[in-house]
Amino acid sequence: MEEVRLIDANALHKRIEMNLHASNPFTIEECCYKDALNSMDEAPTIDPESLRGHAKWVKDKELKFIMQASESIISVCFNSSLLKYGGDVAVGAMTILTSVMQFAMLPLQGLGQGAQPIMSYNYGAKNTDRVKGTFFLLLKASLTYSIILWGLVMLFPQMFAGIFTSNPALVIFTKKALRVYMAVMFMFGIQISCQMAFNSLGKAISSIVVAVMRKFVLLIPLIYIMPHIFTTDQTMAVYMAEPVADFIAVTFTAILFSVQFKKALAAIRLS
């Protein structure tokens, strides 16, 4: 087998310069190296579309980072407040509540991610009917799923609690907490559909705004405010921060999306 020899680029470059001054012939490797340098003389061109695509990718990653970071911060806020008012049982119930919440969030996000490329493609192709049709189909599917799951949680909260614990006291406590914490879960279909559609239409900033509104502007302050408003049961008041924040956030998201969606479709028709 022929031995592979590494080339010292700096030494080779010096040899080429010496040969140029002395008018000496070049070796094969020197010729290859010289040709490679010559091929790099022309400055590369930058495609503006590639830059825009990269900017969109960065914004999408920023959104995902904000979502993940906010979940960690909210978890700390909930647990510290619940430990103060309800003790270990309330904190243990919160773990179950967030797990049950994933039954709603993950399938809804999956539906949204499946619809995103279809909306994006048709938005780029200026096909307004397909964009509208895809969004409203996503909205119907998401609302149907969230309403069905909400109904099951309201009717059988003990069944969902029993999936994650066999402790009778914790199951009884979680049964009540689930109905409070997930009181407006039927509206999640609107929130997730609009948030995913924002990304599809290139409105990543709007998607970040609605995410920040729900979690940082509304939910975190309400975790600490609600126990001072509903003093009779301060532990349940902490859980109540979630549905109150969700109701306001979904209303805000729906209004913002309706305005942005009409503008985006109008821009397509005018172009």
Side-chain angles (χ1 to χ4, degrees):
M1 183 181 294
E2 185 178 352
E3 182 182 357
V4 177
R5 184 166 55 88
L6 296 177
I7 299 173
D8 186 340
N10 291 328
L12 189 58
H13 192 75
K14 290 178 181 178
R15 277 162 44 195
I16 291 173
E17 290 181 344
M18 291 172 61
N19 288 334
L20 280 171
H21 290 298
S23 300
N24 292 331
F26 295 110
T27 64
I28 294 175
E29 63 182 19
E30 288 171 354
C31 289
C32 292
Y33 184 77
K34 184 171 174 292
D35 290 342
L37 289 177
N38 291 336
S39 67
M40 295 173 65
D41 287 342
E42 184 178 351
T45 58
I46 300 174
D47 183 10
E49 289 298 326
S50 298
L51 286 177
R52 280 193 286 269
H54 181 69
K56 183 179 180 297
W57 180 84
V58 170
K59 287 178 181 178
D60 289 343
K61 297 304 177 185
E62 285 176 353
L63 175 61
K64 290 178 181 179
F65 172 77
I66 290 171
M67 296 291 287
Q68 293 297 326
S70 64
E71 290 295 337
S72 301
I73 295 169
I74 288 168
S75 179
V76 171
C77 294
F78 260 121
N79 288 340
S80 62
S81 190
L82 288 169
L83 189 62
K84 178 181 177 181
Y85 296 112
D88 294 338
V89 174
V91 174
M94 188 65 208
T95 305
I96 298 174
L97 299 184
T98 53
S99 298
V100 175
M101 184 68 81
Q102 296 306 308
F103 283 117
M105 299 303 294
L106 294 180
L108 289 175
Q109 288 174 356
L111 285 170
Q113 288 170 1
Q116 271 185 330
I118 302 173
M119 273 191 284
S120 295
Y121 175 82
N122 287 285
Y123 181 69
K126 304 184 187 305
N127 191 334
T128 56
D129 292 335
R130 282 283 182 90
V131 173
K132 288 173 65 176
T134 304
F135 171 72
F136 285 113
L137 180 61
L138 170 64
L139 184 62
K140 289 176 186 176
S142 299
L143 271 175
T144 300
Y145 177 79
S146 59
I147 290 171
I148 290 172
L149 186 59
W150 172 80
L152 291 173
V153 170
M154 294 299 109
L155 291 172
F156 312 107
Q158 193 166 346
M159 178 187 73
F160 285 93
I163 296 173
F164 301 98
T165 182
S166 57
N167 187 323
L170 185 55
V171 169
I172 293 170
F173 183 88
T174 306
K175 175 183 175 181
K176 181 182 178 181
L178 260 175
R179 285 181 170 145
V180 174
Y181 186 77
M182 307 188 77
V184 297
M185 189 183 68
F186 61 91
M187 300 177 71
F188 278 4
I190 301 172
Q191 176 79 12
I192 300 299
S193 297
C194 293
Q195 203 165 317
M196 292 292 184
F198 274 134
N199 290 336
S200 301
L201 302 178
K203 308 288 185 183
I205 298 297
S206 297
S207 188
I208 293 172
V209 167
V210 297
V212 170
M213 170 64 72
R214 175 179 173 264
K215 304 211 171 166
F216 289 103
V217 177
L218 293 171
L219 185 53
I220 292 178
L222 284 170
I223 290 172
Y224 298 102
I225 293 171
M226 295 297 285
H228 297 286
I229 298 174
F230 299 95
T231 55
T232 53
D233 192 343
Q234 292 179 306
T235 304
M236 288 299 154
V238 176
Y239 294 126
M240 202 181 296
E242 179 74 25
V244 173
D246 288 340
F247 179 79
I248 299 172
V250 171
T251 304
F252 171 78
T253 301
I255 294 171
L256 179 63
F257 181 79
S258 63
V259 173
Q260 295 280 2
F261 195 52
K262 288 176 183 176
K263 285 182 179 180
L265 296 182
I268 292 176
R269 295 189 185 99
L270 292 173
S271 62

Coordinates of all heavy atoms in Angstrom, one line a residue, residues 49-136:
E49 N -31.2 35.1 -0.8 CA -32.2 34.1 -0.4 C -31.7 33.2 0.7 O -32.4 32.8 1.6 CB -32.8 33.3 -1.6 CG -33.6 34.1 -2.5 CD -34.9 34.7 -1.8 OE1 -35.4 34.0 -1.0 OE2 -35.3 35.8 -2.2
S50 N -30.4 32.8 0.5 CA -29.8 31.9 1.5 C -29.6 32.7 2.8 O -29.8 32.1 3.9 CB -28.4 31.5 1.0 OG -28.5 30.8 -0.2
L51 N -29.3 34.0 2.8 CA -29.2 34.7 4.0 C -30.6 34.8 4.7 O -30.7 34.7 5.9 CB -28.7 36.1 3.7 CG -27.2 36.3 3.4 CD1 -26.9 37.7 3.0 CD2 -26.4 35.8 4.5
R52 N -31.6 35.1 3.9 CA -33.0 35.1 4.5 C -33.4 33.8 5.1 O -34.0 33.7 6.2 CB -34.0 35.6 3.5 CG -34.0 37.1 3.2 CD -35.2 37.5 2.4 NE -35.1 37.1 1.0 CZ -34.5 37.9 0.1 NH1 -34.1 39.1 0.4 NH2 -34.5 37.5 -1.1
G53 N -33.0 32.7 4.4 CA -33.3 31.4 4.9 C -32.6 31.1 6.2 O -33.1 30.5 7.2
H54 N -31.3 31.5 6.3 CA -30.5 31.3 7.5 C -31.1 32.2 8.6 O -31.2 31.7 9.8 CB -29.1 31.7 7.2 CG -28.2 31.6 8.4 ND1 -27.8 30.3 8.9 CD2 -27.6 32.5 9.2 CE1 -27.0 30.5 9.9 NE2 -26.9 31.8 10.2
A55 N -31.5 33.4 8.3 CA -32.1 34.2 9.4 C -33.4 33.6 9.9 O -33.6 33.6 11.1 CB -32.4 35.6 8.8
K56 N -34.2 33.0 9.1 CA -35.4 32.4 9.5 C -35.1 31.2 10.4 O -35.7 30.9 11.4 CB -36.3 31.9 8.3 CG -37.6 31.3 8.7 CD -38.4 30.9 7.4 CE -39.7 30.2 7.8 NZ -39.6 29.0 8.5
W57 N -34.1 30.4 10.0 CA -33.6 29.2 10.8 C -33.2 29.7 12.2 O -33.5 29.0 13.2 CB -32.5 28.5 10.1 CG -32.0 27.3 10.8 CD1 -32.5 26.1 10.7 CD2 -30.9 27.3 11.6 NE1 -31.8 25.2 11.5 CE2 -30.8 25.9 12.1 CE3 -30.0 28.2 12.1 CZ2 -29.8 25.5 13.0 CZ3 -29.0 27.8 13.0 CH2 -28.9 26.5 13.4
V58 N -32.4 30.8 12.2 CA -32.0 31.3 13.5 C -33.2 31.7 14.4 O -33.2 31.4 15.6 CB -31.0 32.5 13.3 CG1 -30.7 33.2 14.7 CG2 -29.7 32.0 12.7
K59 N -34.2 32.4 13.8 CA -35.3 32.8 14.6 C -36.1 31.6 15.1 O -36.6 31.6 16.2 CB -36.2 33.7 13.7 CG -35.6 35.1 13.4 CD -36.5 35.9 12.5 CE -35.9 37.3 12.3 NZ -36.8 38.1 11.3
D60 N -36.2 30.6 14.2 CA -36.9 29.4 14.7 C -36.2 28.7 15.9 O -36.9 28.3 16.8 CB -37.0 28.3 13.5 CG -38.0 28.8 12.5 OD1 -38.8 29.7 12.7 OD2 -37.9 28.3 11.3
K61 N -34.9 28.7 15.8 CA -34.1 28.1 16.9 C -34.2 29.0 18.2 O -34.3 28.5 19.3 CB -32.6 28.0 16.5 CG -32.4 27.0 15.4 CD -33.0 25.6 15.7 CE -32.8 24.7 14.5 NZ -33.5 23.4 14.8
E62 N -34.3 30.3 18.0 CA -34.5 31.2 19.1 C -35.8 30.9 19.8 O -35.9 30.9 21.0 CB -34.5 32.7 18.6 CG -33.1 33.2 18.3 CD -33.1 34.6 17.7 OE1 -34.2 35.1 17.5 OE2 -32.0 35.2 17.6
L63 N -36.9 30.7 19.0 CA -38.2 30.4 19.5 C -38.1 29.1 20.4 O -38.7 29.1 21.5 CB -39.2 30.3 18.4 CG -40.6 29.8 18.8 CD1 -41.2 30.9 19.8 CD2 -41.5 29.6 17.6
K64 N -37.5 28.1 19.8 CA -37.4 26.8 20.5 C -36.6 27.0 21.8 O -37.0 26.4 22.9 CB -36.8 25.8 19.6 CG -37.7 25.3 18.5 CD -37.0 24.3 17.6 CE -37.9 23.9 16.4 NZ -37.3 23.0 15.5
F65 N -35.6 27.8 21.8 CA -34.8 28.0 23.0 C -35.6 28.7 24.1 O -35.6 28.4 25.2 CB -33.5 28.9 22.6 CG -32.8 29.3 23.9 CD1 -32.0 28.5 24.6 CD2 -32.9 30.6 24.3 CE1 -31.3 28.9 25.7 CE2 -32.2 31.1 25.4 CZ -31.4 30.2 26.1
I66 N -36.4 29.8 23.6 CA -37.2 30.5 24.6 C -38.3 29.6 25.2 O -38.5 29.6 26.4 CB -37.9 31.7 23.8 CG1 -36.9 32.8 23.5 CG2 -39.0 32.3 24.7 CD1 -37.4 33.9 22.6
M67 N -38.9 28.7 24.4 CA -39.9 27.8 24.9 C -39.3 26.9 25.9 O -39.9 26.6 27.0 CB -40.5 27.0 23.7 CG -41.2 27.8 22.7 SD -42.7 28.5 23.3 CE -43.8 27.1 23.4
Q68 N -38.1 26.3 25.6 CA -37.5 25.4 26.6 C -37.0 26.1 27.8 O -37.2 25.6 28.9 CB -36.3 24.7 25.9 CG -36.7 23.7 24.7 CD -37.6 22.6 25.2 OE1 -37.4 22.1 26.3 NE2 -38.5 22.2 24.3
A69 N -36.4 27.2 27.7 CA -36.0 28.0 28.8 C -37.1 28.4 29.7 O -37.0 28.3 30.9 CB -35.2 29.2 28.4
S70 N -38.2 28.8 29.1 CA -39.4 29.3 29.9 C -40.0 28.2 30.7 O -40.4 28.4 31.8 CB -40.4 29.9 28.9 OG -40.9 28.9 28.0
E71 N -40.0 26.9 30.1 CA -40.6 25.8 30.8 C -39.8 25.5 32.1 O -40.4 25.2 33.2 CB -40.5 24.5 30.0 CG -41.5 24.6 28.8 CD -43.0 24.6 29.3 OE1 -43.3 24.2 30.4 OE2 -43.8 25.1 28.5
S72 N -38.5 25.7 32.1 CA -37.6 25.4 33.2 C -37.9 26.5 34.3 O -38.0 26.2 35.5 CB -36.1 25.4 32.8 OG -35.9 24.4 31.9
I73 N -38.0 27.8 33.9 CA -38.2 28.8 34.8 C -39.6 28.7 35.4 O -39.7 28.9 36.7 CB -38.1 30.2 34.1 CG1 -36.6 30.4 33.6 CG2 -38.5 31.4 35.0 CD1 -36.5 31.6 32.7
I74 N -40.6 28.4 34.7 CA -42.0 28.2 35.2 C -42.0 27.1 36.2 O -42.7 27.2 37.2 CB -42.9 28.0 34.0 CG1 -43.1 29.3 33.3 CG2 -44.3 27.5 34.5 CD1 -43.8 29.2 32.0
S75 N -41.3 26.0 35.9 CA -41.3 24.9 36.8 C -40.8 25.3 38.2 O -41.3 24.9 39.2 CB -40.5 23.7 36.2 OG -40.4 22.6 37.1
V76 N -39.7 26.0 38.2 CA -39.1 26.5 39.4 C -40.1 27.4 40.2 O -40.3 27.3 41.4 CB -37.8 27.3 39.1 CG1 -37.2 27.9 40.4 CG2 -36.7 26.3 38.6
C77 N -40.7 28.3 39.4 CA -41.7 29.2 40.1 C -42.9 28.5 40.7 O -43.3 28.7 41.8 CB -42.2 30.2 39.1 SG -40.9 31.4 38.5
F78 N -43.4 27.5 39.9 CA -44.5 26.7 40.4 C -44.1 25.9 41.7 O -44.9 26.0 42.7 CB -45.0 25.8 39.4 CG -46.3 26.2 38.6 CD1 -46.2 26.4 37.2 CD2 -47.4 26.5 39.3 CE1 -47.4 26.8 36.5 CE2 -48.6 26.9 38.6 CZ -48.5 27.1 37.2
N79 N -43.0 25.3 41.6 CA -42.6 24.4 42.7 C -42.3 25.2 44.0 O -42.7 24.8 45.1 CB -41.4 23.5 42.3 CG -41.8 22.5 41.3 OD1 -42.9 22.1 41.2 ND2 -40.8 22.0 40.6
S80 N -41.7 26.3 43.8 CA -41.4 27.1 45.0 C -42.6 27.7 45.7 O -42.8 27.7 46.9 CB -40.4 28.3 44.6 OG -41.1 29.1 43.7
S81 N -43.6 28.1 44.9 CA -44.8 28.6 45.4 C -45.7 27.5 46.0 O -46.3 27.7 47.1 CB -45.6 29.3 44.3 OG -46.7 30.1 44.8
L82 N -45.7 26.4 45.3 CA -46.5 25.2 45.9 C -45.9 24.7 47.1 O -46.7 24.3 48.1 CB -46.6 24.2 44.8 CG -47.5 24.5 43.6 CD1 -47.4 23.4 42.5 CD2 -49.0 24.5 44.1
L83 N -44.6 24.7 47.2 CA -44.0 24.2 48.5 C -44.3 25.1 49.6 O -44.5 24.6 50.8 CB -42.5 24.1 48.2 CG -41.6 23.5 49.3 CD1 -42.0 22.0 49.5 CD2 -40.1 23.6 49.0
K84 N -44.4 26.4 49.4 CA -44.8 27.3 50.4 C -46.2 27.2 50.9 O -46.5 27.2 52.1 CB -44.6 28.8 49.9 CG -45.0 29.9 50.8 CD -44.8 31.2 50.2 CE -45.2 32.3 51.2 NZ -45.0 33.7 50.5
Y85 N -47.2 26.9 50.0 CA -48.6 26.9 50.4 C -49.1 25.5 50.6 O -50.1 25.3 51.3 CB -49.4 27.6 49.3 CG -49.1 29.1 49.2 CD1 -48.5 29.6 48.1 CD2 -49.4 30.0 50.2 CE1 -48.2 30.9 47.9 CE2 -49.1 31.3 50.1 CZ -48.5 31.8 49.0 OH -48.3 33.1 48.9
G86 N -48.6 24.5 49.9 CA -49.2 23.2 49.9 C -48.2 22.0 50.3 O -48.7 20.9 50.6
G87 N -46.9 22.3 50.4 CA -46.0 21.3 50.9 C -45.6 20.3 49.8 O -45.9 20.5 48.6
D88 N -45.1 19.1 50.2 CA -44.6 18.1 49.3 C -45.7 17.5 48.4 O -45.4 17.2 47.3 CB -43.9 17.0 50.1 CG -42.6 17.5 50.8 OD1 -42.1 18.6 50.3 OD2 -42.2 16.9 51.7
V89 N -46.9 17.3 49.0 CA -47.9 16.7 48.2 C -48.3 17.6 47.0 O -48.5 17.1 45.9 CB -49.2 16.5 49.0 CG1 -50.4 16.0 48.2 CG2 -48.9 15.5 50.1
A90 N -48.3 18.9 47.2 CA -48.7 19.9 46.1 C -47.6 19.8 45.0 O -47.9 19.9 43.8 CB -48.8 21.3 46.7
V91 N -46.3 19.7 45.5 CA -45.2 19.7 44.5 C -45.3 18.4 43.7 O -45.1 18.3 42.5 CB -43.9 19.8 45.2 CG1 -42.7 19.6 44.2 CG2 -43.8 21.2 45.9
G92 N -45.6 17.3 44.4 CA -45.7 16.0 43.7 C -46.8 16.0 42.7 O -46.7 15.4 41.6
A93 N -47.9 16.6 43.1 CA -49.1 16.7 42.2 C -48.7 17.5 40.9 O -49.2 17.2 39.8 CB -50.3 17.4 42.9
M94 N -47.9 18.5 41.1 CA -47.5 19.4 40.0 C -46.7 18.6 39.0 O -46.8 18.8 37.7 CB -46.6 20.5 40.5 CG -46.3 21.6 39.4 SD -47.8 22.4 38.9 CE -47.3 22.8 37.2
T95 N -45.9 17.6 39.4 CA -45.2 16.7 38.5 C -46.2 15.9 37.6 O -46.0 15.8 36.4 CB -44.3 15.8 39.3 OG1 -43.4 16.6 40.1 CG2 -43.4 14.9 38.4
I96 N -47.2 15.5 38.3 CA -48.2 14.7 37.5 C -49.0 15.6 36.5 O -49.3 15.2 35.4 CB -49.2 14.0 38.5 CG1 -48.5 13.0 39.4 CG2 -50.4 13.3 37.8 CD1 -49.3 12.4 40.5
L97 N -49.3 16.8 37.0 CA -50.0 17.8 36.1 C -49.2 18.1 34.8 O -49.8 18.1 33.7 CB -50.3 19.0 36.9 CG -51.2 18.9 38.1 CD1 -51.5 20.3 38.7 CD2 -52.5 18.2 37.9
T98 N -48.0 18.3 35.0 CA -47.1 18.6 33.8 C -47.0 17.4 32.9 O -46.9 17.6 31.7 CB -45.7 19.1 34.2 OG1 -45.1 18.2 35.1 CG2 -45.8 20.5 34.9
S99 N -47.0 16.2 33.5 CA -46.9 15.0 32.7 C -48.2 14.8 31.9 O -48.2 14.5 30.7 CB -46.7 13.8 33.5 OG -45.5 13.9 34.2
V100 N -49.4 15.1 32.5 CA -50.7 15.0 31.8 C -50.8 16.0 30.8 O -51.3 15.8 29.7 CB -51.8 15.1 32.8 CG1 -53.2 15.1 32.1 CG2 -51.8 13.9 33.8
M101 N -50.2 17.2 31.0 CA -50.2 18.3 30.0 C -49.5 17.9 28.8 O -49.9 18.4 27.7 CB -49.6 19.5 30.6 CG -49.6 20.8 29.7 SD -51.3 21.4 29.5 CE -51.5 22.4 31.0
Q102 N -48.5 17.0 28.9 CA -47.8 16.6 27.7 C -48.7 15.7 26.8 O -48.5 15.7 25.5 CB -46.6 15.7 28.1 CG -45.5 16.5 28.8 CD -45.1 17.8 28.1 OE1 -44.7 17.7 27.0 NE2 -45.1 18.9 28.8
F103 N -49.8 15.1 27.3 CA -50.7 14.4 26.5 C -51.4 15.4 25.5 O -51.8 15.0 24.4 CB -51.8 13.7 27.4 CG -51.4 12.5 28.0 CD1 -51.3 12.4 29.4 CD2 -51.0 11.4 27.3 CE1 -50.9 11.2 30.1 CE2 -50.6 10.2 28.0 CZ -50.5 10.1 29.3
A104 N -51.5 16.6 25.9 CA -52.1 17.6 25.1 C -51.1 18.3 24.2 O -51.3 18.4 22.9 CB -52.8 18.7 25.9
M105 N -50.0 18.7 24.7 CA -49.0 19.5 24.0 C -48.3 18.8 22.9 O -48.2 19.3 21.8 CB -48.0 20.1 25.0 CG -48.6 21.0 26.0 SD -49.6 22.4 25.4 CE -48.3 23.4 24.6
L106 N -47.8 17.6 23.2 CA -47.0 16.9 22.2 C -47.8 16.5 20.9 O -47.3 16.8 19.8 CB -46.4 15.6 22.8 CG -45.3 15.9 23.9 CD1 -44.8 14.6 24.5 CD2 -44.2 16.8 23.4
P107 N -49.0 15.9 21.0 CA -49.8 15.6 19.8 C -50.1 16.9 19.0 O -50.1 17.0 17.8 CB -51.0 14.9 20.3 CG -50.6 14.3 21.6 CD -49.7 15.3 22.2
L108 N -50.5 18.0 19.8 CA -50.8 19.2 19.1 C -49.6 19.8 18.4 O -49.7 20.3 17.2 CB -51.3 20.3 20.1 CG -52.7 20.0 20.7 CD1 -53.1 21.0 21.8 CD2 -53.8 20.0 19.6
Q109 N -48.4 19.7 19.0 CA -47.2 20.2 18.3 C -46.9 19.3 17.1 O -46.4 19.8 16.1 CB -46.1 20.2 19.3 CG -46.2 21.3 20.3 CD -45.1 21.2 21.4 OE1 -44.3 20.3 21.4 NE2 -45.0 22.2 22.3
G110 N -47.2 18.0 17.2 CA -47.0 17.2 16.1 C -47.9 17.5 14.9 O -47.4 17.5 13.7
L111 N -49.1 17.8 15.2 CA -50.1 18.2 14.1 C -49.6 19.5 13.5 O -49.6 19.7 12.3 CB -51.5 18.5 14.7 CG -52.3 17.2 15.0 CD1 -53.5 17.6 15.8 CD2 -52.7 16.4 13.8
G112 N -49.1 20.5 14.3 CA -48.7 21.8 13.8 C -47.4 21.6 13.0 O -47.3 22.2 11.9
Q113 N -46.5 20.8 13.4 CA -45.2 20.6 12.6 C -45.5 19.9 11.3 O -44.8 20.1 10.3 CB -44.2 19.8 13.5 CG -43.7 20.7 14.6 CD -42.8 19.8 15.6 OE1 -42.7 18.6 15.4 NE2 -42.3 20.5 16.6
G114 N -46.5 19.0 11.3 CA -46.9 18.4 10.1 C -47.5 19.3 9.0 O -47.3 19.2 7.8
A115 N -48.2 20.3 9.6 CA -48.9 21.3 8.7 C -48.0 22.4 8.2 O -48.2 23.0 7.2 CB -50.1 21.9 9.4
Q116 N -46.9 22.7 9.0 CA -46.0 23.8 8.7 C -45.4 23.7 7.3 O -45.5 24.7 6.6 CB -44.9 23.8 9.7 CG -45.2 24.7 10.9 CD -44.0 24.8 11.9 OE1 -43.2 23.9 11.9 NE2 -43.9 25.9 12.6
P117 N -44.8 22.6 6.8 CA -44.2 22.6 5.5 C -45.3 22.8 4.4 O -45.0 23.4 3.3 CB -43.5 21.3 5.4 CG -44.2 20.4 6.4 CD -44.6 21.3 7.5
I118 N -46.5 22.4 4.6 CA -47.6 22.5 3.6 C -47.9 24.0 3.5 O -48.1 24.5 2.4 CB -48.8 21.7 3.9 CG1 -48.4 20.2 4.0 CG2 -49.9 21.8 2.9 CD1 -49.5 19.3 4.5
M119 N -48.1 24.6 4.6 CA -48.4 26.1 4.6 C -47.3 26.9 4.1 O -47.5 27.8 3.3 CB -48.8 26.5 6.0 CG -50.2 26.4 6.4 SD -50.7 27.2 8.0 CE -50.0 26.1 9.2
S120 N -46.1 26.6 4.4 CA -44.9 27.3 4.0 C -44.8 27.2 2.4 O -44.5 28.2 1.8 CB -43.6 26.8 4.6 OG -43.7 27.1 6.0
Y121 N -44.9 26.0 1.9 CA -44.8 25.8 0.5 C -45.8 26.6 -0.3 O -45.5 27.3 -1.3 CB -44.9 24.3 0.2 CG -44.9 24.0 -1.3 CD1 -43.7 23.9 -2.0 CD2 -46.1 23.8 -2.0 CE1 -43.7 23.7 -3.4 CE2 -46.1 23.6 -3.4 CZ -44.9 23.5 -4.1 OH -44.8 23.2 -5.4
N122 N -47.1 26.5 0.1 CA -48.1 27.2 -0.6 C -48.1 28.7 -0.4 O -48.5 29.5 -1.2 CB -49.5 26.6 -0.1 CG -49.8 25.3 -0.7 OD1 -50.1 25.1 -1.9 ND2 -49.6 24.2 0.1
Y123 N -47.6 29.1 0.8 CA -47.4 30.6 1.0 C -46.3 31.1 0.0 O -46.5 32.2 -0.6 CB -46.9 30.8 2.4 CG -46.7 32.3 2.8 CD1 -47.8 33.2 2.8 CD2 -45.5 32.8 3.1 CE1 -47.6 34.5 3.1 CE2 -45.2 34.1 3.4 CZ -46.3 35.0 3.4 OH -46.1 36.3 3.7
G124 N -45.2 30.3 -0.1 CA -44.2 30.7 -1.1 C -44.7 30.7 -2.5 O -44.3 31.5 -3.4
A125 N -45.6 29.7 -2.8 CA -46.1 29.6 -4.2 C -47.3 30.5 -4.4 O -47.9 30.5 -5.5 CB -46.6 28.1 -4.4
K126 N -47.6 31.4 -3.4 CA -48.7 32.4 -3.5 C -50.1 31.8 -3.7 O -50.9 32.3 -4.5 CB -48.4 33.4 -4.6 CG -47.0 34.1 -4.4 CD -46.8 35.2 -5.4 CE -45.4 35.7 -5.3 NZ -45.0 36.2 -4.0
N127 N -50.3 30.6 -3.1 CA -51.6 29.9 -3.3 C -52.4 30.2 -2.0 O -52.3 29.4 -1.0 CB -51.3 28.4 -3.5 CG -52.6 27.7 -3.9 OD1 -53.7 28.1 -3.5 ND2 -52.4 26.5 -4.6
T128 N -53.1 31.2 -2.0 CA -53.8 31.6 -0.8 C -54.9 30.6 -0.3 O -55.1 30.4 0.9 CB -54.5 33.0 -1.0 OG1 -55.4 32.9 -2.1 CG2 -53.5 34.1 -1.2
D129 N -55.6 30.0 -1.3 CA -56.6 29.0 -0.9 C -56.0 27.9 -0.2 O -56.6 27.4 0.8 CB -57.3 28.6 -2.2 CG -58.1 29.7 -2.9 OD1 -58.5 30.6 -2.1 OD2 -58.4 29.6 -4.1
R130 N -54.9 27.4 -0.6 CA -54.2 26.2 0.0 C -53.7 26.6 1.4 O -53.8 25.9 2.4 CB -53.1 25.7 -0.8 CG -53.5 24.9 -2.0 CD -53.9 23.5 -1.5 NE -54.2 22.6 -2.6 CZ -53.4 21.8 -3.3 NH1 -52.1 21.9 -3.0 NH2 -53.8 21.1 -4.2
V131 N -53.2 27.9 1.6 CA -52.7 28.3 2.9 C -53.9 28.4 3.8 O -53.8 27.9 5.0 CB -52.1 29.7 2.7 CG1 -51.7 30.3 4.1 CG2 -50.8 29.6 1.9
K132 N -55.0 29.0 3.4 CA -56.2 29.1 4.3 C -56.7 27.7 4.6 O -57.1 27.4 5.8 CB -57.2 29.9 3.6 CG -56.9 31.4 3.6 CD -58.0 32.2 2.8 CE -59.3 32.2 3.4 NZ -60.3 33.0 2.6
G133 N -56.8 26.9 3.6 CA -57.4 25.5 3.8 C -56.6 24.7 4.7 O -57.1 24.0 5.6
T134 N -55.2 24.8 4.6 CA -54.3 24.0 5.5 C -54.4 24.5 6.9 O -54.5 23.7 7.9 CB -52.9 24.1 5.0 OG1 -52.8 23.7 3.7 CG2 -52.0 23.3 5.9
F135 N -54.5 25.8 7.1 CA -54.6 26.4 8.5 C -55.9 26.0 9.1 O -55.9 25.5 10.3 CB -54.4 27.9 8.5 CG -54.8 28.5 9.8 CD1 -53.9 28.3 10.9 CD2 -56.0 29.1 10.1 CE1 -54.2 28.8 12.1 CE2 -56.3 29.6 11.3 CZ -55.4 29.5 12.4
F136 N -57.0 26.1 8.4 CA -58.3 25.8 9.1 C -58.5 24.3 9.3 O -59.1 23.9 10.3 CB -59.4 26.3 8.2 CG -59.6 27.8 8.3 CD1 -59.3 28.7 7.3 CD2 -59.9 28.4 9.5 CE1 -59.5 30.0 7.4 CE2 -60.1 29.8 9.7 CZ -59.8 30.6 8.6

